[in-house]
């Protein structure tokens, strides 16, 4: 039994290392190429653009993009792979004489947005024979994770005359909230909107998308159109462009015989043409007020009440809303304010707070930004609320009064003009930077030995391949288990007795449960569990091996969570979340924080899932007790306000 368990682990680690070596070889030798999928005008059937999709060599285990990107993420090579993909897209389009007015869609991974070598792409495009009509695709994750970097990149893209597309709209409500901030020229609907059919979620997405498209002139593109029924629904949803197997699968060679037409991008709006001023680090929301805006004077007490009203409005807008606020000094972010912002972070899409000395995350789910010395926002009181069908901003400037803090006066504007509100929101998000970059020596960090970097005459430099001694270090990252102890170098990947003993001790020492399921077999049975899993499950390995792990579920397990897990596994994606499980024959309930990771074989086929489980019951109970106490406190505060008392900001 132990030999079988260790054999699975060694084979998985061996495959991971071989995939890393293969990816480094493909990058170093510039072997990645682009395949192209047509995008058509749904009214005429004309091809108006192609999306570039990366492929490895046909005989490589990393031929398909899922295998390429999962390997890159696992081994810290995402930035290098992303750069190689874009370069391959541009060179491939140029070699196949793809020209304006037909467009070229290329993707940018949000995780590497700040290191994306845009200069390389601009140079390639400038030197291409003819002119490329480029549309750069982002997802809502880019704006949520790296607001400042994305807004700067979008400015440079538009300065180059290129267009911007927001991808996977509808997959997450963040995409609806961020549409007016990113101002995409093309909205790419998530394929589930076409393939799943009408429903309340689809109606919510299309309500927001059509409102934005009507006001901006943006094009709506439906992905995943595979048959005539999908096509009819795409048209019903308001899509004017389509992409999917009905019109053509990705191919290495563009069909030059297809009838083409110009990609009908909306005209560049004046607001976009001057967008650089919006994300200028010195532009403040108050300075973006239009000429002639009527300024009023008010004491701090009035601004407090106006602020609370806007916060309540944000809560009413729900999960597709963005709230950005400034506080001058971090000490003004009081416990009472923190209580309100905790509620906001739980119920709306994105919340950020800016002030002098504000930490990067003042509360869980609240993005923070410390205002630099000399930043004009330090003297402002700004609250921006932006949702698909609502916009409002309180933009105020401190008049510098002497005397008690509570009696300070401000000049302010309360505006509902959408373009002004969106510009103010972009100005604030332009100050919210990503988390600190990885320290030198982290894989994938520029300048780190053993990573890829641009070099003269080529997009990427060659990288030394990993050695067999790296297998022990690969195992913890493969399992997603931070508590596994580091192992000394293993001289061979052969499953000898010494190697088996080391790996067994490492897994036995883990305080988190580890299991492996074989997705190739009927009902996806467990083929390995470690001792910690046995303790969490309340059964021995002999009782659970060969069974599907659904035996941990019960009648009170949330069906939505189960569906989310099934969807992720069916799609071969990672999944992390908390699920209610039951332990042992007596079915004792416990809360399980689960991380599931797919494992592919040399051909890129999904063969196993590795699961890591942690008992977080105490944490969940504490969170629920805190929520009850918070509700009680909120009710008491509301009662006090009814009696005429005011809570200080």
């Amino acid at each position: 039994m132990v030999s079988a368990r260790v054999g699975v682990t060694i084979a998985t680690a061996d495959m991971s290392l071989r995939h890393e070596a293969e990816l480094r070889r493909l990058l170093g030798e510039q072997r990645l190429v682009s395949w192209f999928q047509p995008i058509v005008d749904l009214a005429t059937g004309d091809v108006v653009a192609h999306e570039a999709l990366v492929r490895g060599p046909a005989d490589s285990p990393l031929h398909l993009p899922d295998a390429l990107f999962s390997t890159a993420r696992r081994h810290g090579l995402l930035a290098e792979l992303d750069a190689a993909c874009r370069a391959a897209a541009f060179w491939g389009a140029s070699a196949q004489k793809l020209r304006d007015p037909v467009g070229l869609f290329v993707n940018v991974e949000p995780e590497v947005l700040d290191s994306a070598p845009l200069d390389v792409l601009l140079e390639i495009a400038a030197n291409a024979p003819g002119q490329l009509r480029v549309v750069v695709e982002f997802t809502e994750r880019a704006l949520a994770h790296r607001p400042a970097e994305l807004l700067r990149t979008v400015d440079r893209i538009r300065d180059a005359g290129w267009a911007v597309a927001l991808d996977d709209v509808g997959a997450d409500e963040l995409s609806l909230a961020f549409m007016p901030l990113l101002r995409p020229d093309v909205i790419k609907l998530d394929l589930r909107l076409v393939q799943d059919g009408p429903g309340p979620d689809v109606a919510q997405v299309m309500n927001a998308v059509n409102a934005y498209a009507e006001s901006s002139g943006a094009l709506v593109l439906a992905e995943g159109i595979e048959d005539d029924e999908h096509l009819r629904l795409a048209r019903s949803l308001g899509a004017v462009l389509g992409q999917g197997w009905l019109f053509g699968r990705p191919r290495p060679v563009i069909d030059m015989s297809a009838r083409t037409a110009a990609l009908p991008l909306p005209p560049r709006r004046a607001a976009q043409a001057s967008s650089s001023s919006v994300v200028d680090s010195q532009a403040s929301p108050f300075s973006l007020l239009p000429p002639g805006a009527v300024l009023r004077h008010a004491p701090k007490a009035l601004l407090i009440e106006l602020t609370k009203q806007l916060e309540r409005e944000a809560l009413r807008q729900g999960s597709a809303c963005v709230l950005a606020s400034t506080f001058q000094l971090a000490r003004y972010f009081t416990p009472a304010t923190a209580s309100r912002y905790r509620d906001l972070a739980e119920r709306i899409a994105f919340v950020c707070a800016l002030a002098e000395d504000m930490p990067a995350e003042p509360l869980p789910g609240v993005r923070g930004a410390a205002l630099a010395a000399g930043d004009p926002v330090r003297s402002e009181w700004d609250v921006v609320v932006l949702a698909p069908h609502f916009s409002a901003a309180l933009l105020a400037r401190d008049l510098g009064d002497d005397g008690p803090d509570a009696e300070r006066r401000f000049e302010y504007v309360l505006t509902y003009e959408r373009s002004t509100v969106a510009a103010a929101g972009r100005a604030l998000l332009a100050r919210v930077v990503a988390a600190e970059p990885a320290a030198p020596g982290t894989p994938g960090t520029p300048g780190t030995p053993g990573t890829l970097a641009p070099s003269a005459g080529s997009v990427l430099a060659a990288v030394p391949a990993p050695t067999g001694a790296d297998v022990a270090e690969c195992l913890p990252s493969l399992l997603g288990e931070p508590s596994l102890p580091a192992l000394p170098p293993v001289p061979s990947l052969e499953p000898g007795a010494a190697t088996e003993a080391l790996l067994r001790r490492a897994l036995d020492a883990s305080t988190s449960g580890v299991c492996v399921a074989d997705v190739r077999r009927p009902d996806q049975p467990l083929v390995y569990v470690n001792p910690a899993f046995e303790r969490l499950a309340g059964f021995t390995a002999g009782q659970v091996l060969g069974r599907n792990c659904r035996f941990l579920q019960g009648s009170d397990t949330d069906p939505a969570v189960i569906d989310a897990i099934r969807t992720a596994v069916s799609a071969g994606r990672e999944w992390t979340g908390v699920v209610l499980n039951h332990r042992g024959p007596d079915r004792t309930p416990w809360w399980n924080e689960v991380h599931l990771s797919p494992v592919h074989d040399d051909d890129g086929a999904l063969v196993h899932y590795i699961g890591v489980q942690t008992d977080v019951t105490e944490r969940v109970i504490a969170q629920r007790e805190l929520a009850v106490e918070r509700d009680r406190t909120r009710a008491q505060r509301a009662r006090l306000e009814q009696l005429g008392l005011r809570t200080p900001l």
Side-chain angles (χ1 to χ4, degrees):
M1 180 67 70
V2 170
S3 178
R5 296 176 184 175
V6 174
V8 170
T9 303
I10 291 177
T12 302
D14 184 16
M15 179 183 65
S16 178
L17 285 176
R18 284 187 278 116
H19 281 188
E20 180 189 3
E22 173 69 359
L23 177 57
R24 291 178 181 274
R25 182 184 72 83
L26 297 178
L27 293 171
E29 297 177 4
Q30 300 181 34
R31 295 289 307 281
L32 298 178
V33 298
S34 279
W35 288 24
F36 298 90
Q37 185 173 32
I39 295 171
V40 305
D41 185 322
L42 295 184
T44 65
D46 294 343
V47 175
V48 296
H50 293 270
E51 181 175 359
L53 303 167
V54 69
R55 293 290 188 274
D59 59 350
S60 170
L62 303 183
H63 171 62
L64 296 176
D66 286 350
L68 280 166
F69 279 92
S70 63
T71 300
R73 285 189 173 91
R74 184 176 297 124
H75 297 288
L77 296 172
L78 189 59
E80 293 80 3
L81 175 60
D82 192 61
C85 291
R86 292 192 302 274
F90 277 61
W91 286 121
S94 177
Q96 299 201 45
K97 298 181 172 56
L98 185 65
R99 300 286 182 270
D100 189 4
V102 177
L104 172 67
F105 282 64
V106 296
N107 295 273
V108 172
E109 283 293 313
E111 295 97 321
V112 298
L113 190 62
D114 55 342
S115 60
L118 190 59
D119 290 333
V120 174
L121 302 188
L122 295 173
E123 181 180 357
I124 294 172
N127 294 331
Q131 185 176 4
L132 293 174
R133 194 173 201 190
V134 180
V135 181
V136 181
E137 297 185 26
F138 301 98
T139 67
E140 81 287 340
R141 290 178 296 132
L143 191 50
H145 295 172
R146 300 179 176 275
E149 294 94 329
L150 177 59
L151 292 174
R152 285 196 298 267
T153 301
V154 166
D155 274 352
R156 296 189 64 194
I157 286 171
R158 288 201 162 112
D159 287 343
W162 299 351
V164 172
L166 184 58
D167 198 10
D168 297 336
V169 172
D172 192 299
E173 289 173 323
L174 280 172
S175 57
L176 305 181
F178 288 150
M179 275 193 299
L181 295 169
L182 188 59
R183 298 166 299 161
D185 304 286
V186 180
I187 303 168
K188 298 190 72 175
L189 302 179
D190 185 66
L191 57 83
R192 74 174 180 86
L193 299 181
V194 168
Q195 296 185 353
D196 290 355
D201 291 344
V202 174
Q204 179 190 17
V205 172
M206 295 317 303
N207 201 23
V209 167
N210 286 325
Y212 173 79
E214 182 178 9
S215 64
S216 67
L219 304 176
V220 179
L221 189 160
E223 296 185 285
I225 300 177
E226 298 181 359
D227 54 39
D228 290 336
E229 181 59 32
H230 292 164
L231 176 59
R232 284 190 290 271
L233 183 55
R235 287 172 170 157
S236 299
L237 294 175
V240 296
L241 303 178
Q243 181 178 359
W245 288 359
L246 182 64
F247 309 115
R249 299 194 179 201
R251 298 177 53 187
V253 178
I254 294 175
D255 181 6
M256 303 306 292
S257 65
R259 192 177 63 192
T260 62
L263 177 63
L265 290 171
R268 195 178 187 198
R269 298 180 290 280
Q272 292 179 350
S274 60
S275 62
S276 59
S277 64
V278 174
V279 295
D280 184 340
S281 61
Q282 295 305 309
S284 73
F286 194 86
S287 70
L288 295 172
L289 285 170
V294 178
L295 301 179
R296 297 180 174 88
H297 288 194
K300 179 178 178 179
L302 177 58
L303 295 191
I304 290 175
E305 297 307 320
L306 292 175
T307 295
K308 291 179 180 179
Q309 175 58 34
L310 289 179
E311 292 168 359
R312 288 191 289 268
E313 191 60 53
L315 290 172
R316 279 192 286 270
Q317 296 302 315
S319 55
C321 182
V322 171
L323 173 74
S325 300
T326 65
F327 290 86
Q328 295 188 306
L329 303 174
R331 63 185 175 88
Y332 292 143
F333 194 80
T334 65
T337 307
S339 177
R340 301 198 308 273
Y341 271 65
R342 190 175 290 108
D343 291 341
L344 287 161
E346 292 174 354
R347 294 170 58 182
I348 71 175
F350 184 85
V351 182
C352 65
L354 298 81
E356 180 182 352
D357 297 326
M358 181 69 78
E361 190 178 35
L363 291 171
V366 177
R367 294 291 299 274
L371 298 175
D375 191 325
V377 176
R378 281 193 175 194
S379 65
E380 294 186 10
W381 181 319
D382 303 313
V383 182
V384 175
V385 178
L386 194 58
H389 307 290
F390 179 83
S391 59
L394 171 64
L395 308 179
R397 183 164 57 189
D398 197 330
L399 292 175
D401 294 340
D402 296 328
D405 179 79
E407 298 177 6
R408 286 190 297 140
R409 293 182 307 126
F410 294 76
E411 55 181 354
Y412 80 97
V413 169
L414 182 61
T415 178
Y416 300 89
E417 205 285 313
R418 193 167 185 81
S419 63
T420 301
V421 175
R426 284 190 291 272
L428 294 181
L429 265 65
R431 291 164 164 82
V432 181
V433 298
E436 288 295 321
T442 302
T445 303
T448 300
T451 62
L452 298 169
S455 64
S458 68
V459 177
L460 299 169
V463 182
T467 65
D470 295 325
V471 65
E473 295 178 2
C474 170
L475 184 60
S477 62
L478 175 68
L479 297 179
E481 172 50 68
S483 63
L484 285 174
L487 300 179
V490 179
S492 171
L493 292 178
E494 294 298 322
T499 302
E500 291 186 9
L502 281 172
L503 293 174
R504 184 178 66 178
R505 286 199 298 270
L507 291 171
D508 288 351
S510 173
T511 58
S512 293
V514 178
C515 65
V516 178
D518 190 341
V519 299
R520 299 167 299 180
R521 300 184 188 179
D523 207 30
Q524 302 176 353
L526 294 173
V527 295
Y528 168 75
V529 296
N530 74 338
F533 182 93
E534 293 176 279
R535 291 191 294 272
L536 291 173
F539 295 102
T540 65
Q543 293 173 306
V544 302
L545 291 178
R547 300 175 61 185
N548 185 285
C549 60
R550 73 172 67 90
F551 72 88
L552 293 170
Q553 301 167 10
S555 59
D556 48 353
T557 301
D558 188 351
V561 176
I562 298 173
D563 288 342
I565 295 174
R566 289 173 178 168
T567 300
V569 172
S570 298
R573 299 195 306 264
E574 292 187 0
W575 187 86
T576 299
V578 176
V579 60
L580 181 63
N581 282 164
H582 296 78
R583 179 179 293 118
D586 59 354
R587 309 299 289 160
T588 302
W590 62 287
W591 289 98
N592 185 2
E593 184 173 69
V594 184
H595 179 78
L596 302 176
S597 297
V599 178
H600 299 82
D601 65 12
D602 290 345
D603 297 324
L606 180 64
V607 292
H608 294 95
Y609 255 88
I610 293 179
V612 178
Q613 295 85 15
T614 304
D615 189 341
V616 294
T617 303
E618 292 183 359
R619 188 184 77 191
V620 172
I621 292 174
Q623 289 173 339
R624 291 188 169 187
E625 291 175 348
L626 180 62
V628 171
E629 182 63 21
R630 190 163 60 241
D631 290 341
R632 186 182 66 83
T633 302
R634 187 162 51 243
Q636 290 177 343
R637 186 170 65 243
R639 176 59 179 163
L640 290 174
E641 289 181 350
Q642 290 176 356
L643 296 174
L645 298 179
R646 292 293 181 267
T647 303
L649 188 65

